[in-house]
Amino acid sequence: QVQLVESGGGLVQAGDSLRLSCAASGRTFSSYVMGWFRQAPGKEREFVATISWSGGRIRYADSVKGRFTISRDNAKNTVYLQMNSLKPEDTAVYYCAANITAWGHQYDYWGQGTQVTVSS
């Protein structure tokens, strides 16, 4: 069982920055593919970013490319999402997820989410 706990959300203005953190349980965190997703009101959950176990493979949604940066610290069992130049359309509940199988497989565990609200 893997537990994921997100933090760092909040209310900011357009153009501001936030850094989300996701702390994971489990001694094999360094082997997990980690991802960030988000769900805006009335919309389906969408992919934001993903990072391989080593950090050597990273992928972003086109909507956040160049503004968001995913990273991880395996010594701290934590994955981060640095969000810069935030826009009102980035408003959503942000979830981190763990894929304990391999790159490209479905995500097995999800956090409870953290709210990000960007005002114009």
Side-chain angles (χ1 to χ4, degrees), residues 14-64:
D16 285 351
S17 297
L18 273 177
R19 188 176 81 155
L20 305 183
S21 299
C22 173
S25 65
R27 284 187 278 181
T28 56
F29 171 81
S30 59
S31 68
Y32 305 158
V33 175
M34 298 298 296
W36 285 98
F37 293 77
R38 66 187 182 186
Q39 186 167 21
K43 295 187 177 181
E44 293 188 354
R45 186 171 59 195
E46 64 175 0
F47 165 78
V48 175
T50 186
I51 186 168
S52 64
W53 67 273
S54 68
R57 297 177 74 176
I58 290 176
R59 188 164 62 90
Y60 296 100
D62 288 343
S63 59
V64 306

Side-chain angles (χ1 to χ4, degrees), residues 45-115:
R45 186 171 59 195
E46 64 175 0
F47 165 78
V48 175
T50 186
I51 186 168
S52 64
W53 67 273
S54 68
R57 297 177 74 176
I58 290 176
R59 188 164 62 90
Y60 296 100
D62 288 343
S63 59
V64 306
K65 206 171 290 184
R67 299 188 298 121
F68 290 11
T69 302
I70 189 171
S71 63
R72 66 190 297 159
D73 185 338
N74 288 338
K76 296 182 178 180
N77 279 19
T78 301
V79 63
Y80 305 97
L81 185 68
Q82 177 67 43
M83 306 186 295
N84 298 330
S85 302
L86 282 162
K87 304 175 181 180
E89 51 263 44
D90 294 318
T91 295
V93 177
Y94 284 71
Y95 300 89
C96 75
N99 162 7
I100 65 172
T101 305
W103 184 267
H105 283 236
Q106 67 180 16
Y107 288 83
D108 307 285
Y109 298 96
W110 296 82
Q112 83 290 348
T114 186
Q115 177 71 48

